[in-house]
């Protein structure tokens, strides 16, 4: 449980280049961002596991998108600043290049996602939720126009409400459906360096590659975007490419060893717009999947919206953009 993409991700609590996404993604991200600090505090208190919410800010080197970013920030009441060479040097002294201008988003945080996931599992168990783990669903059970449960190798789990949230593998459960969700696996590889605390201070993003500092000095550098099906192997080519980029931008990393190299499969939906929806005609069947590069930041809002739909409550956001058959234009 919580071992796939959610474990493998970087934990940045913002879409990378948020202005490149539809407003529907920004709305989910904004709702989650306003909840994250409190969520992490309350998980730490209830479980004793610290998800390490870290408001480090994100420096984004994308000088030809400054106007687009400014327009997006104004539309969504977000704070972004321009940082010139001197400010960039102060914000992240370990960065070797000094761009004339960078976009500085001071309110972007990150979490230690493997710990966040562990804390969430622990927390729901403390609430008395019963979890059945290591039992893959092989088939959804449909009785006339209604879901009646799910079949696993160990037997049937009966329910009149089923939420499919199986990440990159979601399409496999809908193989014989007429309009399956368009979710595909997109591999991402990541390197972990073990440095001294404070070696890197900020999230820095450039050309879709980014660095994330953990509180204990560990530093993540990622990530690749590979359309290679369900292959989760790491490759020496990606290791070399990421290492070369990381040490060119942050020469201090040459002093430290690579502690780990891993790959995960992102659930890629068109335009990165997740499916959070009831099935259009099978009653009791729901989906919450396809969060692509942003499942950690979109998680709280998506889970809440999905619960609203299942329970028939007033939804936190208008659900139409995330519907099964909504347009997802790239
Ligand atoms: C390298 C990398 C970096 C990333 N960085 C970030 C980031 O910085 N910020 C961010 O917001 N997002 C990031 N992401 C994206 C984010 O991790 C994903 O969008 C998110 O974790 C998806 O969550 P999920 O629960 O849908 O999928 P997963 O975490 O993959 O979980 C799916 C679960 O379903 C289970 N499953 C599959 N099939 C079945 C079945 N038939 N029966 C039962 N269970 C099944 C799997 O075992 C797994 O436990 C990153 C992803 C990667 C790979």
């Amino acid at each position: 449980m919580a071992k796939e993409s959610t474990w493998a991700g970087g934990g940045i609590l913002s879409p990378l280049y948020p202005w490149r996404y539809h407003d529907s993604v920004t709305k989910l991200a904004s709702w989650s961002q306003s909840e994250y600090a409190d969520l992490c505090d309350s998980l730490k208190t209830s479980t004793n596991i610290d998800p390490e919410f870290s408001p480090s800010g994100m420096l984004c080197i994308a000088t030809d998108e400054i106007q687009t970013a400014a327009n997006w920030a104004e539309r969504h009441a977000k704070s972004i600043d321009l940082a010139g060479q001197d400010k960039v040097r102060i914000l992240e002294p370990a960065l070797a290049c000094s761009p004339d201008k960078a976009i500085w988003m001071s309110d972007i945080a990150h979490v230690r996602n493997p710990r966040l996931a562990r804390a969430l599992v622990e927390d729901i168990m403390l609430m008395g939720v019963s979890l059945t783990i290591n039992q893959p669903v092989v088939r959804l059970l449909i009785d006339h126009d209604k879901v009646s449960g799910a079949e696993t190798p160990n037997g049937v789990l009966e329910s009149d409400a089923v939420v499919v949230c199986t990440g990159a593998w979601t399409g496999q459960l809908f193989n014989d459906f007429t309009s399956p969700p368009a979710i595909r696996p997109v591999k991402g590889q990541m390197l972990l360096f073990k440095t001294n605390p404070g070696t890197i201070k900020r999230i820095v993003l450039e050309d879709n590659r980014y660095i994330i500092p953990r509180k204990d000095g560990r530093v993540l550098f990622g990530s690749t975007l590979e359309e290679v099906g369900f292959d989760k192997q790491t490759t020496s080519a990606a290791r070399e490419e990421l290492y070369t980029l990381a040490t060119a931008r942050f020469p201090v990393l040459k002093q430290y060893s690579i502690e780990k190299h891993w790959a995960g499969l992102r659930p890629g939906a068109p335009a990165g717009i997740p499916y959070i929806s009831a099935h259009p005609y099978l009653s009791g069947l729901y989906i919450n999947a396809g969060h692509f590069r942003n499942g950690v930041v979109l998680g709280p809002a998506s889970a809440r919206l999905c619960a609203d739909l299942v329970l028939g409550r007033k939804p936190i956001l208008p659900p139409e953009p995330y519907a099964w058959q909504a347009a997802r234009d790239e």
Side-chain angles (χ1 to χ4, degrees), residues 132-139 150-155 157 166 173:
T132 306
I133 57 171
N134 296 328
Q135 287 197 41
V137 170
V138 290
R139 197 164 64 89
E151 185 182 324
T152 77
N154 297 331
L157 300 168
T166 42
L173 287 173

Side-chain angles (χ1 to χ4, degrees), residues 4-6 8-12 136-137 165-167 169 188 190 210 223 264 266-267 291-297:
E4 294 290 352
S5 195
T6 300
I12 301 173
V137 170
C165 48
T166 42
W169 296 266
M190 191 87 99
Y210 49 80
S223 57
R266 307 176 185 90
H291 296 75
F292 194 34
R293 305 194 82 173
N294 304 311
V296 179
V297 57

Side-chain angles (χ1 to χ4, degrees), residues 1-16 36 109-111 113 132 134-139 151-152 164-170 172-173 186-191 203 210 212 214 220-224 232 262-268 288-299:
M1 172 154 287
K3 288 279 183 274
E4 294 290 352
S5 195
T6 300
W7 182 91
I12 301 173
L13 298 182
S14 169
L16 305 177
Y36 245 112
H110 59 91
V111 287
N113 38 301
T132 306
N134 296 328
Q135 287 197 41
V137 170
V138 290
R139 197 164 64 89
E151 185 182 324
T152 77
V164 178
C165 48
T166 42
W169 296 266
T170 298
Q172 295 177 349
L173 287 173
V186 183
K187 179 158 96 173
Q189 300 192 47
M190 191 87 99
L191 296 184
I203 304 166
Y210 49 80
I212 310 170
R214 297 294 192 224
L220 287 85
F221 194 88
S223 57
T224 61
K232 252 191 350 185
W262 66 81
L265 297 179
R266 307 176 185 90
N288 186 7
H291 296 75
F292 194 34
R293 305 194 82 173
N294 304 311
V296 179
V297 57
L298 305 185

Side-chain angles (χ1 to χ4, degrees), residues 5-19 21 25 28-30 32-34 36-37 40 51-61 72 103-116 189-191 200-214 219-224 250 262 266 291-300:
S5 195
T6 300
W7 182 91
I12 301 173
L13 298 182
S14 169
L16 305 177
Y17 312 101
W19 45 89
Y21 288 89
V25 172
L28 287 173
S30 299
S32 296
Q33 284 161 341
S34 68
Y36 245 112
C40 291
E52 293 187 12
F53 178 86
S54 308
S56 65
M58 179 161 80
L59 196 55
C60 176
I61 300 170
W72 169 86
I103 295 168
W104 168 235
M105 292 182 268
S106 58
D107 54 1
I108 302 300
H110 59 91
V111 287
R112 197 154 179 166
N113 38 301
R115 292 197 187 172
L116 171 70
Q189 300 192 47
M190 191 87 99
L191 296 184
I200 307 291
K201 298 183 186 332
R202 317 285 178 192
I203 304 166
V204 182
L205 169 65
E206 182 182 11
D207 282 342
N208 270 306
R209 300 288 189 260
Y210 49 80
I211 196 159
I212 310 170
R214 297 294 192 224
V219 166
L220 287 85
F221 194 88
S223 57
T224 61
F250 301 92
W262 66 81
R266 307 176 185 90
H291 296 75
F292 194 34
R293 305 194 82 173
N294 304 311
V296 179
V297 57
L298 305 185

Side-chain angles (χ1 to χ4, degrees), residues 10-319:
I12 301 173
L13 298 182
S14 169
L16 305 177
Y17 312 101
W19 45 89
R20 293 185 186 172
Y21 288 89
H22 286 265
D23 286 356
S24 55
V25 172
T26 299
K27 284 181 181 155
L28 287 173
S30 299
W31 195 94
S32 296
Q33 284 161 341
S34 68
E35 298 286 316
Y36 245 112
D38 286 350
L39 172 67
C40 291
D41 271 355
S42 102
L43 287 171
K44 193 173 159 188
T45 305
S46 62
T47 67
N48 237 354
I49 301 169
D50 183 1
E52 293 187 12
F53 178 86
S54 308
S56 65
M58 179 161 80
L59 196 55
C60 176
I61 300 170
T63 43
D64 55 347
E65 292 178 62
I66 286 172
Q67 193 53 52
T68 318
N71 295 344
W72 169 86
E74 197 180 335
R75 216 169 54 248
H76 294 284
K78 300 280 184 187
S79 122
I80 67 163
D81 290 311
L82 283 189
Q85 281 187 348
D86 290 347
K87 188 163 178 189
V88 168
R89 230 173 274 128
I90 293 167
L91 286 168
E92 185 44 81
L95 180 63
C97 73
S98 32
D100 287 344
K101 279 197 191 100
I103 295 168
W104 168 235
M105 292 182 268
S106 58
D107 54 1
I108 302 300
H110 59 91
V111 287
R112 197 154 179 166
N113 38 301
R115 292 197 187 172
L116 171 70
R118 253 195 314 126
L120 285 166
V121 170
E122 180 78 19
D123 194 48
I124 58 173
M125 286 171 72
L126 288 169
M127 288 175 194
V129 173
S130 115
L131 295 175
T132 306
I133 57 171
N134 296 328
Q135 287 197 41
V137 170
V138 290
R139 197 164 64 89
L140 296 167
L141 300 175
I142 311 291
D143 190 6
H144 296 95
D145 289 341
K146 200 174 172 341
V147 74
S148 61
E151 185 182 324
T152 77
N154 297 331
V156 161
L157 300 168
E158 285 181 9
S159 177
D160 53 12
V162 172
V163 180
V164 178
C165 48
T166 42
W169 296 266
T170 298
Q172 295 177 349
L173 287 173
F174 295 103
N175 271 339
D176 51 356
F177 279 54
T178 42
S179 48
I183 296 174
R184 67 196 194 283
V186 183
K187 179 158 96 173
Q189 300 192 47
M190 191 87 99
L191 296 184
L192 181 70
F193 293 84
K194 194 171 178 192
T195 75
N196 293 323
T199 302
I200 307 291
K201 298 183 186 332
R202 317 285 178 192
I203 304 166
V204 182
L205 169 65
E206 182 182 11
D207 282 342
N208 270 306
R209 300 288 189 260
Y210 49 80
I211 196 159
I212 310 170
R214 297 294 192 224
K215 284 184 173 163
D216 64 1
R218 288 188 164 83
V219 166
L220 287 85
F221 194 88
S223 57
T224 61
L225 266 183
E226 302 167 67
E227 304 260 358
V228 289
F230 288 95
D231 166 17
K232 252 191 350 185
Q233 295 294 311
T234 55
T235 63
S236 49
R239 184 185 177 101
E240 182 67 31
E241 189 225 303
L242 292 173
Y243 183 80
T244 303
L245 268 174
T247 51
R249 284 291 177 251
F250 301 92
V252 67
L253 292 179
K254 287 183 194 156
Q255 298 169 29
Y256 300 99
S257 55
I258 296 177
E259 190 179 30
K260 217 166 179 166
H261 172 201
W262 66 81
L265 297 179
R266 307 176 185 90
I273 301 175
Y275 292 76
I276 310 166
S277 172
H279 189 271
Y281 56 86
L282 291 173
S283 129
L285 181 57
Y286 299 86
I287 185 171
N288 186 7
H291 296 75
F292 194 34
R293 305 194 82 173
N294 304 311
V296 179
V297 57
L298 305 185
S302 305
R304 173 63 186 269
L305 178 58
C306 189
D308 291 341
L309 298 177
V310 173
L311 298 172
R313 297 188 303 218
K314 184 174 184 292
I316 49 158
L317 291 172

